[in-house]
Coordinates of all heavy atoms in Angstrom, one line a residue:
M1 N 112.6 -120.6 11.6 CA 112.1 -119.9 12.8 C 110.6 -119.9 12.8 O 110.0 -119.2 13.7 CB 112.6 -118.4 12.8 CG 114.1 -118.2 12.6 SD 115.1 -118.5 14.1 CE 114.4 -117.6 15.3
V2 N 110.0 -120.6 12.0 CA 108.4 -120.7 11.9 C 108.1 -121.8 12.9 O 108.5 -122.9 12.9 CB 107.9 -120.9 10.5 CG1 106.4 -121.1 10.6 CG2 108.3 -119.8 9.6
A3 N 107.1 -121.5 13.7 CA 106.6 -122.4 14.8 C 106.0 -123.7 14.1 O 105.4 -123.6 13.0 CB 105.6 -121.7 15.7
P4 N 106.1 -124.8 14.7 CA 105.4 -126.0 14.2 C 103.9 -125.7 14.0 O 103.3 -125.1 14.9 CB 105.6 -127.0 15.3 CG 106.8 -126.6 16.1 CD 106.8 -125.1 16.0
G5 N 103.4 -126.0 12.9 CA 102.0 -125.7 12.5 C 101.8 -124.3 12.0 O 100.7 -124.0 11.8
G6 N 102.9 -123.6 11.9 CA 102.8 -122.2 11.4 C 102.8 -122.1 9.9 O 102.7 -123.2 9.2
T7 N 102.8 -121.0 9.4 CA 102.7 -120.7 8.0 C 103.9 -120.0 7.4 O 104.3 -119.0 7.9 CB 101.4 -119.9 7.6 OG1 100.3 -120.6 8.1 CG2 101.3 -119.6 6.2
V8 N 104.4 -120.6 6.3 CA 105.5 -119.8 5.6 C 104.8 -119.4 4.3 O 104.3 -120.1 3.4 CB 106.6 -120.9 5.2 CG1 107.6 -120.2 4.2 CG2 107.3 -121.5 6.4
A9 N 104.7 -118.0 4.1 CA 104.0 -117.5 3.0 C 105.0 -116.5 2.3 O 105.6 -115.7 3.0 CB 102.7 -116.8 3.5
V10 N 105.0 -116.5 1.0 CA 105.8 -115.6 0.2 C 105.0 -114.9 -0.8 O 104.1 -115.6 -1.5 CB 106.9 -116.5 -0.5 CG1 107.8 -115.6 -1.5 CG2 107.8 -117.3 0.5
L11 N 105.2 -113.6 -1.0 CA 104.4 -112.9 -2.0 C 105.1 -113.1 -3.4 O 106.3 -112.8 -3.6 CB 104.5 -111.4 -1.7 CG 103.5 -110.9 -0.6 CD1 103.7 -109.4 -0.4 CD2 102.1 -111.3 -0.9
S12 N 104.3 -113.7 -4.2 CA 104.7 -114.0 -5.6 C 103.9 -113.1 -6.5 O 103.5 -112.0 -6.2 CB 104.6 -115.5 -5.9 OG 105.1 -115.8 -7.2
S13 N 103.6 -113.6 -7.7 CA 102.8 -112.9 -8.7 C 102.4 -113.8 -9.8 O 103.1 -114.8 -10.0 CB 103.7 -111.8 -9.3 OG 103.0 -111.1 -10.4
R14 N 101.2 -113.5 -10.3 CA 100.8 -114.2 -11.5 C 101.8 -114.1 -12.6 O 102.0 -115.1 -13.5 CB 99.4 -113.7 -12.1 CG 98.3 -114.0 -11.2 CD 97.0 -113.4 -11.8 NE 96.8 -113.7 -13.2 CZ 96.0 -114.6 -13.7 NH1 95.4 -115.5 -13.0 NH2 95.9 -114.8 -15.0
Q15 N 102.6 -113.1 -12.6 CA 103.7 -112.8 -13.6 C 104.7 -114.0 -13.4 O 105.5 -114.2 -14.4 CB 104.3 -111.5 -13.4 CG 103.3 -110.4 -13.5 CD 103.5 -109.6 -14.9 OE1 104.3 -109.9 -15.6 NE2 102.5 -108.7 -15.0
G16 N 104.8 -114.6 -12.3 CA 105.8 -115.8 -12.2 C 105.3 -117.0 -12.7 O 106.0 -118.1 -12.6
S17 N 104.0 -117.1 -13.2 CA 103.5 -118.4 -13.7 C 104.0 -118.6 -15.1 O 103.8 -117.8 -16.0 CB 101.9 -118.2 -13.7 OG 101.4 -119.3 -14.5
V18 N 104.6 -119.7 -15.2 CA 105.2 -120.0 -16.6 C 104.0 -120.3 -17.6 O 104.1 -119.8 -18.7 CB 106.1 -121.3 -16.5 CG1 106.5 -121.7 -17.9 CG2 107.4 -120.9 -15.6
S19 N 103.0 -120.9 -17.1 CA 101.9 -121.3 -18.0 C 101.1 -120.1 -18.4 O 100.4 -120.1 -19.5 CB 101.0 -122.4 -17.4 OG 100.4 -121.9 -16.2
L20 N 101.1 -119.0 -17.6 CA 100.3 -117.8 -17.9 C 101.1 -116.8 -18.7 O 100.6 -115.7 -19.1 CB 99.7 -117.2 -16.7 CG 98.7 -118.0 -15.9 CD1 98.2 -117.3 -14.6 CD2 97.4 -118.3 -16.8
N21 N 102.3 -117.0 -18.9 CA 103.3 -116.1 -19.6 C 103.0 -116.1 -21.1 O 103.7 -116.8 -21.8 CB 104.7 -116.5 -19.3 CG 105.7 -115.5 -19.8 OD1 105.3 -114.4 -20.3 ND2 106.9 -115.7 -19.8
T22 N 102.1 -115.3 -21.5 CA 101.7 -115.3 -22.9 C 101.9 -113.9 -23.5 O 101.7 -113.7 -24.8 CB 100.3 -115.8 -23.1 OG1 99.4 -114.9 -22.4 CG2 100.0 -117.2 -22.7
R23 N 102.3 -112.9 -22.7 CA 102.4 -111.6 -23.2 C 103.9 -111.1 -23.0 O 104.4 -111.4 -22.0 CB 101.4 -110.6 -22.6 CG 100.0 -111.0 -23.0 CD 98.9 -110.3 -22.2 NE 99.2 -108.9 -22.0 CZ 98.5 -108.1 -21.2 NH1 97.5 -108.6 -20.5 NH2 98.7 -106.9 -21.0
P24 N 104.4 -110.3 -23.9 CA 105.8 -109.8 -23.7 C 105.8 -108.7 -22.6 O 104.7 -108.1 -22.3 CB 106.1 -109.1 -25.1 CG 104.8 -108.8 -25.7 CD 103.8 -109.8 -25.2
G25 N 107.0 -108.4 -22.2 CA 107.2 -107.3 -21.3 C 107.5 -107.9 -19.8 O 107.2 -109.0 -19.5
F26 N 108.3 -107.1 -19.1 CA 108.7 -107.4 -17.7 C 109.3 -108.7 -17.5 O 109.1 -109.4 -16.5 CB 107.4 -107.4 -16.8 CG 106.7 -106.0 -16.8 CD1 105.5 -105.8 -17.5 CD2 107.2 -104.9 -16.1 CE1 104.9 -104.6 -17.6 CE2 106.6 -103.7 -16.1 CZ 105.4 -103.5 -16.8
E27 N 110.2 -109.1 -18.5 CA 110.8 -110.4 -18.5 C 111.6 -110.7 -17.2 O 111.5 -111.7 -16.7 CB 111.6 -110.6 -19.7 CG 110.8 -110.9 -21.0 CD 110.2 -109.6 -21.7 OE1 110.5 -108.5 -21.2 OE2 109.5 -109.7 -22.8
A28 N 112.4 -109.7 -16.9 CA 113.3 -109.8 -15.7 C 112.4 -110.1 -14.5 O 112.7 -110.9 -13.6 CB 114.2 -108.7 -15.4
Y29 N 111.3 -109.3 -14.3 CA 110.4 -109.4 -13.2 C 109.8 -110.9 -13.2 O 109.7 -111.5 -12.2 CB 109.4 -108.3 -13.2 CG 108.4 -108.5 -12.0 CD1 108.7 -108.1 -10.7 CD2 107.1 -109.0 -12.2 CE1 107.9 -108.2 -9.7 CE2 106.2 -109.0 -11.2 CZ 106.6 -108.7 -9.9 OH 105.7 -108.7 -8.9
K30 N 109.3 -111.2 -14.3 CA 108.7 -112.5 -14.5 C 109.6 -113.6 -14.1 O 109.3 -114.6 -13.4 CB 108.2 -112.8 -15.9 CG 107.0 -111.9 -16.2 CD 106.6 -112.1 -17.7 CE 105.5 -111.2 -18.1 NZ 105.1 -111.4 -19.6
A31 N 110.8 -113.5 -14.6 CA 111.9 -114.6 -14.3 C 112.2 -114.6 -12.8 O 112.3 -115.7 -12.2 CB 113.2 -114.3 -15.1
S32 N 112.3 -113.5 -12.1 CA 112.6 -113.4 -10.7 C 111.5 -114.1 -9.9 O 111.7 -114.8 -8.9 CB 112.8 -112.1 -10.2 OG 111.7 -111.3 -10.2
K33 N 110.2 -113.8 -10.4 CA 109.1 -114.4 -9.6 C 109.0 -116.0 -9.9 O 108.7 -116.8 -9.0 CB 107.8 -113.8 -9.9 CG 107.7 -112.4 -9.3 CD 107.8 -112.4 -7.8 CE 107.5 -111.0 -7.2 NZ 107.5 -111.0 -5.8
A34 N 109.3 -116.4 -11.1 CA 109.3 -117.8 -11.4 C 110.4 -118.5 -10.6 O 110.2 -119.6 -10.1 CB 109.5 -118.0 -12.9
A35 N 111.6 -117.9 -10.5 CA 112.7 -118.5 -9.7 C 112.3 -118.5 -8.2 O 112.6 -119.5 -7.5 CB 113.9 -117.6 -9.8
L36 N 111.6 -117.4 -7.7 CA 111.1 -117.5 -6.3 C 110.1 -118.7 -6.2 O 110.2 -119.4 -5.1 CB 110.4 -116.2 -6.0 CG 109.6 -116.1 -4.7 CD1 110.6 -116.1 -3.5 CD2 108.7 -114.9 -4.6
N37 N 109.2 -118.9 -7.1 CA 108.3 -120.0 -7.1 C 109.0 -121.4 -6.9 O 108.7 -122.2 -6.2 CB 107.3 -120.0 -8.2 CG 106.4 -118.8 -8.2 OD1 106.4 -118.0 -7.2 ND2 105.7 -118.5 -9.2
Q38 N 110.0 -121.5 -7.8 CA 110.9 -122.7 -7.8 C 111.6 -122.9 -6.5 O 111.6 -124.1 -6.0 CB 111.8 -122.7 -9.0 CG 112.6 -123.9 -9.2 CD 111.8 -125.2 -9.6 OE1 110.7 -125.0 -10.0 NE2 112.4 -126.3 -9.4
L39 N 112.1 -121.9 -6.0 CA 112.8 -122.0 -4.7 C 111.8 -122.4 -3.6 O 112.1 -123.3 -2.7 CB 113.4 -120.6 -4.2 CG 114.7 -120.3 -5.0 CD1 115.1 -118.9 -4.8 CD2 115.9 -121.3 -4.6
M40 N 110.6 -121.9 -3.6 CA 109.6 -122.3 -2.6 C 109.2 -123.7 -2.8 O 108.9 -124.4 -1.9 CB 108.4 -121.3 -2.7 CG 107.5 -121.4 -1.6 SD 108.3 -121.0 0.0 CE 106.8 -121.1 1.1
R41 N 109.1 -124.2 -4.0 CA 108.8 -125.5 -4.3 C 109.8 -126.5 -3.8 O 109.6 -127.4 -3.2 CB 108.6 -125.8 -5.8 CG 108.1 -127.2 -6.1 CD 107.5 -127.3 -7.4 NE 106.2 -126.9 -7.4 CZ 105.2 -127.5 -8.1 NH1 105.4 -128.4 -8.9 NH2 104.0 -127.0 -8.1
S42 N 111.1 -126.1 -4.0 CA 112.2 -126.9 -3.4 C 112.1 -126.9 -1.8 O 112.4 -127.9 -1.2 CB 113.6 -126.3 -3.9 OG 113.7 -126.5 -5.3
Y43 N 111.9 -125.8 -1.3 CA 111.8 -125.6 0.2 C 110.6 -126.5 0.7 O 110.8 -127.3 1.6 CB 111.5 -124.1 0.6 CG 111.3 -124.0 2.0 CD1 112.3 -123.8 2.9 CD2 109.9 -124.0 2.6 CE1 112.0 -123.6 4.3 CE2 109.7 -123.8 3.9 CZ 110.8 -123.6 4.8 OH 110.5 -123.5 6.1
S44 N 109.6 -126.5 0.0 CA 108.4 -127.4 0.4 C 108.8 -128.9 0.3 O 108.4 -129.6 1.2 CB 107.2 -127.0 -0.6 OG 106.1 -127.9 -0.2
A45 N 109.5 -129.3 -0.7 CA 109.9 -130.7 -0.9 C 110.9 -131.1 0.2 O 110.8 -132.1 0.8 CB 110.5 -130.9 -2.2
R46 N 111.8 -130.1 0.6 CA 112.8 -130.4 1.6 C 112.1 -130.6 3.0 O 112.5 -131.4 3.8 CB 113.8 -129.3 1.7 CG 114.9 -129.6 2.7 CD 115.9 -128.5 2.7 NE 116.6 -128.5 1.5 CZ 117.9 -128.9 1.3 NH1 118.5 -129.3 2.4 NH2 118.4 -128.8 0.1
Y47 N 111.1 -129.8 3.3 CA 110.5 -129.7 4.6 C 109.0 -130.2 4.5 O 108.1 -129.7 5.2 CB 110.6 -128.3 5.2 CG 112.0 -127.9 5.4 CD1 112.6 -127.0 4.5 CD2 112.7 -128.4 6.4 CE1 114.0 -126.6 4.7 CE2 114.1 -128.0 6.6 CZ 114.7 -127.1 5.7 OH 115.9 -126.7 5.9
A48 N 108.8 -131.2 3.7 CA 107.4 -131.7 3.4 C 106.7 -132.2 4.7 O 105.5 -132.1 4.8 CB 107.4 -132.8 2.4
D49 N 107.4 -132.6 5.6 CA 106.9 -133.3 6.9 C 107.0 -132.4 8.1 O 106.8 -132.9 9.2 CB 107.5 -134.6 7.1 CG 107.4 -135.6 6.0 OD1 106.3 -135.6 5.4 OD2 108.3 -136.4 5.7
D50 N 107.1 -131.1 7.9 CA 107.3 -130.3 9.2 C 106.0 -129.8 9.7 O 106.0 -129.0 10.7 CB 108.2 -129.1 8.9 CG 107.7 -128.1 7.8 OD1 106.6 -128.3 7.4 OD2 108.5 -127.2 7.5
G51 N 104.8 -130.1 9.1 CA 103.6 -129.6 9.6 C 103.3 -128.1 9.3 O 102.2 -127.6 9.8
Q52 N 104.1 -127.4 8.6 CA 103.8 -126.1 8.3 C 103.0 -125.9 7.0 O 103.2 -126.7 6.1 CB 105.1 -125.3 8.1 CG 105.9 -125.2 9.4 CD 107.3 -124.6 9.2 OE1 107.7 -124.5 8.1 NE2 108.0 -124.3 10.3
T53 N 102.2 -124.9 7.0 CA 101.5 -124.5 5.8 C 102.4 -123.7 4.9 O 103.2 -122.8 5.4 CB 100.3 -123.6 6.1 OG1 99.4 -124.4 7.0 CG2 99.5 -123.1 4.9
K54 N 102.5 -123.9 3.6 CA 103.4 -123.3 2.7 C 102.6 -122.7 1.5 O 101.8 -123.4 0.9 CB 104.5 -124.3 2.1 CG 105.3 -124.8 3.3 CD 106.2 -125.9 2.9 CE 106.9 -126.5 4.0 NZ 106.1 -127.3 4.8
L55 N 102.7 -121.3 1.4 CA 101.9 -120.7 0.4 C 102.8 -119.6 -0.4 O 103.7 -119.0 0.1 CB 100.8 -119.8 1.2 CG 99.8 -120.6 1.9 CD1 99.0 -119.7 2.8 CD2 99.0 -121.5 1.1
L56 N 102.5 -119.6 -1.7 CA 102.8 -118.5 -2.6 C 101.6 -117.7 -2.8 O 100.6 -118.3 -3.2 CB 103.4 -119.1 -3.8 CG 104.8 -119.8 -3.9 CD1 104.9 -120.7 -5.1 CD2 105.8 -118.6 -3.8
I57 N 101.6 -116.4 -2.7 CA 100.4 -115.6 -2.8 C 100.6 -114.5 -3.8 O 101.7 -113.7 -3.8 CB 100.1 -114.9 -1.4 CG1 99.9 -115.9 -0.3 CG2 98.9 -114.0 -1.5 CD1 98.7 -116.7 -0.3
H58 N 99.7 -114.4 -4.7 CA 99.6 -113.3 -5.7 C 98.6 -112.3 -5.1 O 97.4 -112.6 -5.0 CB 99.1 -113.9 -7.0 CG 98.7 -112.7 -8.0 ND1 99.5 -111.8 -8.4 CD2 97.4 -112.5 -8.5 CE1 98.8 -110.9 -9.2 NE2 97.6 -111.3 -9.3
P59 N 99.1 -111.1 -4.7 CA 98.3 -110.1 -4.0 C 97.5 -109.3 -5.0 O 96.8 -108.3 -4.5 CB 99.3 -109.2 -3.3 CG 100.5 -109.3 -4.2 CD 100.6 -110.7 -4.7
G60 N 97.5 -109.5 -6.2 CA 96.8 -108.8 -7.2 C 97.5 -107.6 -7.8 O 98.7 -107.3 -7.3
H61 N 97.1 -106.9 -8.7 CA 97.8 -105.9 -9.4 C 97.6 -104.5 -8.5 O 96.5 -104.0 -8.5 CB 97.2 -105.6 -10.8 CG 98.0 -104.6 -11.5 ND1 97.5 -104.2 -12.8 CD2 99.0 -103.8 -11.3 CE1 98.3 -103.3 -13.3 NE2 99.3 -103.0 -12.4
N62 N 98.6 -104.1 -7.8 CA 98.6 -103.1 -6.8 C 99.2 -101.8 -7.2 O 100.1 -101.8 -8.1 CB 99.2 -103.5 -5.5 CG 98.3 -104.5 -4.6 OD1 97.8 -103.9 -3.6 ND2 98.2 -105.6 -5.0
Q63 N 98.7 -100.7 -6.7 CA 99.2 -99.4 -7.0 C 100.5 -99.2 -6.2 O 100.5 -98.8 -5.0 CB 98.2 -98.4 -6.5 CG 96.9 -98.4 -7.2 CD 95.8 -97.7 -6.6 OE1 96.0 -97.0 -5.6 NE2 94.5 -97.8 -7.1
T64 N 101.6 -99.6 -6.9 CA 103.0 -99.5 -6.3 C 103.8 -98.8 -7.3 O 103.3 -98.6 -8.5 CB 103.5 -100.8 -6.0 OG1 103.6 -101.6 -7.2 CG2 102.6 -101.7 -4.9
P65 N 105.0 -98.5 -7.1 CA 105.9 -98.0 -8.1 C 106.0 -98.9 -9.3 O 106.0 -98.4 -10.5 CB 107.3 -97.9 -7.4 CG 106.9 -97.6 -6.0 CD 105.7 -98.4 -5.7
L66 N 106.0 -100.2 -9.1 CA 106.0 -101.1 -10.3 C 104.6 -101.3 -10.9 O 104.4 -101.2 -12.1 CB 106.4 -102.6 -9.7 CG 106.4 -103.6 -10.8 CD1 107.5 -103.3 -11.9 CD2 106.8 -105.0 -10.2
G67 N 103.5 -101.4 -10.1 CA 102.2 -101.6 -10.6 C 101.6 -100.3 -11.2 O 100.7 -100.3 -12.1
G68 N 102.1 -99.1 -10.7 CA 101.6 -97.9 -11.3 C 100.4 -97.4 -10.6 O 99.6 -98.1 -10.0
P69 N 100.1 -96.1 -10.7 CA 98.9 -95.5 -10.1 C 97.6 -95.9 -10.6 O 96.6 -95.8 -10.0 CB 99.2 -94.0 -10.3 CG 100.0 -93.9 -11.5 CD 100.9 -95.1 -11.5
G70 N 97.6 -96.5 -11.9 CA 96.4 -96.9 -12.5 C 96.0 -98.3 -12.1 O 94.9 -98.9 -12.6
A71 N 96.8 -99.0 -11.3 CA 96.5 -100.4 -11.0 C 95.1 -100.4 -10.2 O 94.7 -99.4 -9.5 CB 97.6 -101.0 -10.1
P72 N 94.4 -101.5 -10.3 CA 93.0 -101.5 -9.8 C 93.0 -101.6 -8.2 O 91.9 -101.4 -7.7 CB 92.4 -102.7 -10.4 CG 93.5 -103.6 -10.8 CD 94.7 -102.7 -11.2
L73 N 94.0 -102.1 -7.6 CA 94.0 -102.3 -6.1 C 95.0 -101.4 -5.4 O 96.1 -101.2 -5.9 CB 94.3 -103.8 -5.8 CG 93.3 -104.8 -6.3 CD1 93.9 -106.2 -6.0 CD2 92.0 -104.7 -5.5
S74 N 94.7 -101.0 -4.3 CA 95.6 -100.3 -3.4 C 96.1 -101.4 -2.4 O 95.4 -102.4 -2.2 CB 95.0 -99.2 -2.6 OG 94.0 -99.6 -1.6
P75 N 97.3 -101.2 -1.9 CA 97.7 -102.2 -0.9 C 96.7 -102.3 0.3 O 96.5 -103.3 0.9 CB 99.1 -101.7 -0.4 CG 99.6 -100.9 -1.6 CD 98.3 -100.3 -2.2
E76 N 96.1 -101.2 0.6 CA 95.1 -101.1 1.7 C 93.9 -102.1 1.5 O 93.3 -102.6 2.3 CB 94.7 -99.7 2.1 CG 95.8 -98.9 2.6 CD 96.7 -98.3 1.6 OE1 96.4 -98.4 0.4 OE2 97.8 -97.8 2.0
E77 N 93.6 -102.3 0.1 CA 92.5 -103.2 -0.3 C 93.0 -104.6 -0.4 O 92.2 -105.5 0.0 CB 92.0 -102.7 -1.6 CG 91.3 -101.4 -1.6 CD 91.0 -100.8 -3.0 OE1 92.0 -100.9 -3.9 OE2 89.9 -100.4 -3.2
S78 N 94.1 -104.8 -0.9 CA 94.6 -106.2 -1.1 C 95.1 -106.9 0.1 O 94.9 -108.2 0.2 CB 95.6 -106.3 -2.3 OG 96.8 -105.7 -1.9
M79 N 95.8 -106.2 0.9 CA 96.5 -106.9 2.0 C 95.4 -107.5 3.0 O 95.7 -108.7 3.5 CB 97.4 -105.9 2.8 CG 98.7 -105.8 2.0 SD 99.6 -107.3 1.6 CE 99.3 -107.3 -0.2
P80 N 94.3 -106.9 3.4 CA 93.4 -107.6 4.2 C 92.8 -109.0 3.6 O 92.6 -110.0 4.2 CB 92.2 -106.7 4.4 CG 92.9 -105.3 4.2 CD 93.9 -105.5 3.2
A81 N 92.7 -108.9 2.2 CA 92.2 -110.1 1.5 C 93.4 -111.2 1.6 O 93.1 -112.4 1.8 CB 91.9 -109.8 0.0
V82 N 94.6 -110.8 1.5 CA 95.8 -111.7 1.6 C 95.8 -112.3 3.0 O 95.9 -113.5 3.1 CB 97.1 -111.0 1.2 CG1 98.2 -111.9 1.7 CG2 97.2 -110.7 -0.2
V83 N 95.6 -111.5 4.0 CA 95.6 -112.1 5.4 C 94.4 -113.0 5.6 O 94.6 -114.2 6.2 CB 95.4 -110.9 6.4 CG1 95.1 -111.4 7.8 CG2 96.7 -110.1 6.4
N84 N 93.2 -112.8 4.9 CA 92.1 -113.7 5.0 C 92.5 -115.1 4.4 O 92.2 -116.2 5.0 CB 90.9 -113.2 4.2 CG 90.3 -112.0 5.1 OD1 90.5 -111.9 6.3 ND2 89.5 -111.2 4.4
V85 N 93.2 -115.0 3.2 CA 93.7 -116.2 2.6 C 94.6 -117.0 3.5 O 94.5 -118.3 3.7 CB 94.3 -116.0 1.2 CG1 94.9 -117.2 0.7 CG2 93.3 -115.5 0.2
L86 N 95.6 -116.3 4.1 CA 96.6 -116.9 5.0 C 95.9 -117.6 6.1 O 96.2 -118.8 6.4 CB 97.6 -115.9 5.5 CG 98.5 -115.2 4.6 CD1 99.3 -114.2 5.2 CD2 99.4 -116.2 3.8
E87 N 95.0 -116.9 6.7 CA 94.2 -117.5 7.9 C 93.3 -118.7 7.4 O 93.2 -119.7 8.2 CB 93.3 -116.5 8.5 CG 94.2 -115.4 9.3 CD 93.3 -114.3 9.9 OE1 92.2 -114.1 9.5 OE2 93.9 -113.6 10.7
A88 N 92.7 -118.6 6.2 CA 91.8 -119.8 5.8 C 92.7 -121.0 5.5 O 92.1 -122.1 5.5 CB 91.1 -119.3 4.5
Q89 N 93.9 -120.7 5.1 CA 94.8 -121.9 4.7 C 95.6 -122.5 5.9 O 96.3 -123.5 5.7 CB 95.8 -121.5 3.6 CG 95.0 -121.2 2.3 CD 94.3 -122.3 1.8 OE1 94.7 -123.4 1.8 NE2 93.0 -122.0 1.3
T90 N 95.4 -122.0 7.0 CA 96.2 -122.5 8.3 C 95.9 -124.0 8.4 O 94.8 -124.5 8.3 CB 95.7 -121.8 9.5 OG1 96.0 -120.4 9.4 CG2 96.4 -122.4 10.8
G91 N 97.0 -124.7 8.4 CA 96.9 -126.2 8.6 C 96.9 -126.9 7.2 O 96.9 -128.2 7.3
A92 N 96.8 -126.3 6.1 CA 96.8 -126.9 4.9 C 98.1 -127.6 4.6 O 99.2 -127.1 5.0 CB 96.4 -125.9 3.7
Q93 N 98.1 -128.7 3.9 CA 99.3 -129.4 3.7 C 99.8 -129.1 2.2 O 99.0 -128.9 1.4 CB 99.1 -131.0 3.9 CG 98.7 -131.3 5.2 CD 99.8 -131.0 6.2 OE1 101.0 -131.4 6.1 NE2 99.5 -130.2 7.3
G94 N 101.1 -129.2 2.0 CA 101.7 -129.1 0.7 C 101.8 -127.6 0.4 O 101.3 -126.7 1.2
L95 N 102.4 -127.3 -0.7 CA 102.6 -126.0 -1.2 C 101.4 -125.6 -2.1 O 101.1 -126.4 -3.0 CB 103.9 -125.9 -2.0 CG 104.2 -124.5 -2.7 CD1 104.3 -123.4 -1.7 CD2 105.5 -124.6 -3.5
Q96 N 100.9 -124.4 -2.0 CA 99.8 -123.9 -2.9 C 100.2 -122.5 -3.4 O 100.9 -121.7 -2.7 CB 98.6 -123.7 -2.1 CG 98.0 -125.0 -1.5 CD 96.7 -124.7 -0.8 OE1 95.6 -124.7 -1.5 NE2 96.7 -124.6 0.5
F97 N 99.8 -122.3 -4.6 CA 100.1 -120.9 -5.3 C 98.6 -120.4 -5.4 O 97.9 -120.9 -6.2 CB 100.8 -121.1 -6.6 CG 101.2 -119.9 -7.3 CD1 101.1 -118.6 -6.8 CD2 101.7 -120.1 -8.6 CE1 101.5 -117.5 -7.5 CE2 102.2 -118.9 -9.3 CZ 102.1 -117.6 -8.8
L98 N 98.4 -119.3 -4.7 CA 96.9 -118.8 -4.6 C 96.9 -117.3 -4.8 O 98.0 -116.6 -4.5 CB 96.3 -119.1 -3.2 CG 96.3 -120.6 -2.7 CD1 95.8 -120.7 -1.3 CD2 95.4 -121.4 -3.7
D99 N 95.8 -116.8 -5.2 CA 95.7 -115.3 -5.3 C 95.0 -114.8 -4.1 O 94.7 -115.5 -3.2 CB 95.0 -114.9 -6.6 CG 93.5 -115.3 -6.6 OD1 92.9 -115.7 -5.6 OD2 92.8 -115.2 -7.7
L100 N 94.7 -113.4 -4.1 CA 94.2 -112.8 -2.9 C 92.7 -113.2 -2.6 O 92.2 -112.9 -1.6 CB 94.3 -111.3 -3.0 CG 93.4 -110.6 -4.0 CD1 93.3 -109.1 -3.6 CD2 93.9 -110.7 -5.4
H101 N 92.1 -114.0 -3.5 CA 90.8 -114.5 -3.3 C 90.8 -116.1 -2.9 O 89.7 -116.6 -2.7 CB 89.9 -114.3 -4.5 CG 89.8 -113.0 -5.0 ND1 89.3 -111.9 -4.3 CD2 90.4 -112.4 -6.1 CE1 89.4 -110.7 -5.0 NE2 90.1 -111.0 -6.0
G102 N 92.0 -116.6 -2.7 CA 92.1 -118.0 -2.4 C 92.0 -118.9 -3.6 O 92.0 -120.1 -3.5
E103 N 92.0 -118.3 -4.8 CA 91.9 -119.2 -6.0 C 93.3 -119.6 -6.4 O 94.3 -118.9 -6.3 CB 91.3 -118.3 -7.2 CG 89.9 -117.9 -6.9 CD 88.9 -119.0 -6.7 OE1 89.0 -120.0 -7.5 OE2 87.9 -118.9 -5.9
V104 N 93.3 -120.8 -7.0 CA 94.7 -121.4 -7.4 C 95.2 -120.6 -8.6 O 94.4 -120.3 -9.6 CB 94.5 -122.8 -7.9 CG1 95.8 -123.4 -8.5 CG2 94.1 -123.7 -6.6
V105 N 96.5 -120.2 -8.6 CA 97.2 -119.7 -9.7 C 98.0 -120.8 -10.4 O 98.7 -121.5 -9.8 CB 98.2 -118.6 -9.2 CG1 98.9 -118.0 -10.4 CG2 97.4 -117.4 -8.5
P106 N 97.8 -121.0 -11.7 CA 98.5 -122.1 -12.4 C 100.1 -121.8 -12.3 O 100.5 -120.7 -12.4 CB 98.0 -121.9 -13.9 CG 96.8 -121.2 -13.9 CD 96.9 -120.2 -12.6
W107 N 100.8 -122.9 -12.2 CA 102.2 -122.8 -12.2 C 102.7 -122.4 -13.6 O 103.7 -121.9 -13.8 CB 102.9 -124.1 -11.7 CG 102.5 -124.4 -10.3 CD1 101.5 -125.0 -9.8 CD2 103.3 -124.0 -9.2 NE1 101.6 -125.0 -8.4 CE2 102.7 -124.4 -8.0 CE3 104.6 -123.3 -9.1 CZ2 103.3 -124.2 -6.8 CZ3 105.2 -123.0 -7.9 CH2 104.4 -123.5 -6.7

């Protein structure tokens, strides 16, 4: 249902990065985000020629029930940055895994 030239963006997490997984804890969450990343990679391969921008976005460590009240970012702080990344990537080809600053997150 995404318009040609539109963007498919999915909220992921650095916790879903296999190469950055060096600390214990939150294994089920990490596995679910790694699976989400893999599904998005498959989606990107299937629809490689559709002209859509495809993004996995890590919004930062947010003050949510999962992130806790001590997390450094509030959603009100991180979401405008995420929107800026989405807008900056409009028209980009291929799948990218980026953070809220537009920096690449290792797979």
Side-chain angles (χ1 to χ4, degrees):
M1 306 282 308
V2 177
T7 300
V8 176
V10 176
L11 283 180
S12 185
S13 172
R14 285 176 53 93
Q15 301 255 356
S17 168
V18 174
S19 64
L20 295 177
N21 185 7
T22 59
R23 295 173 40 192
F26 302 100
E27 286 83 0
Y29 179 77
K30 291 175 181 180
S32 72
K33 289 300 185 178
L36 174 70
N37 295 352
Q38 183 66 14
L39 285 168
M40 193 63 178
R41 185 163 279 218
S42 294
Y43 176 86
S44 179
R46 181 179 296 255
Y47 299 103
D49 298 323
D50 65 4
Q52 295 174 346
T53 299
K54 297 170 187 72
L55 300 168
L56 288 158
I57 301 288
H58 165 59
H61 185 186
N62 277 259
Q63 298 163 6
T64 64
L66 179 64
L73 294 170
S74 70
E76 294 79 14
E77 294 169 310
S78 67
M79 286 303 106
V82 167
V83 170
N84 288 341
V85 171
L86 296 176
E87 290 175 345
Q89 294 301 318
T90 299
Q93 298 298 306
L95 174 63
Q96 298 182 82
F97 188 4
L98 304 173
D99 69 12
L100 73 160
H101 305 294
E103 300 295 321
V104 172
V105 178
W107 290 89

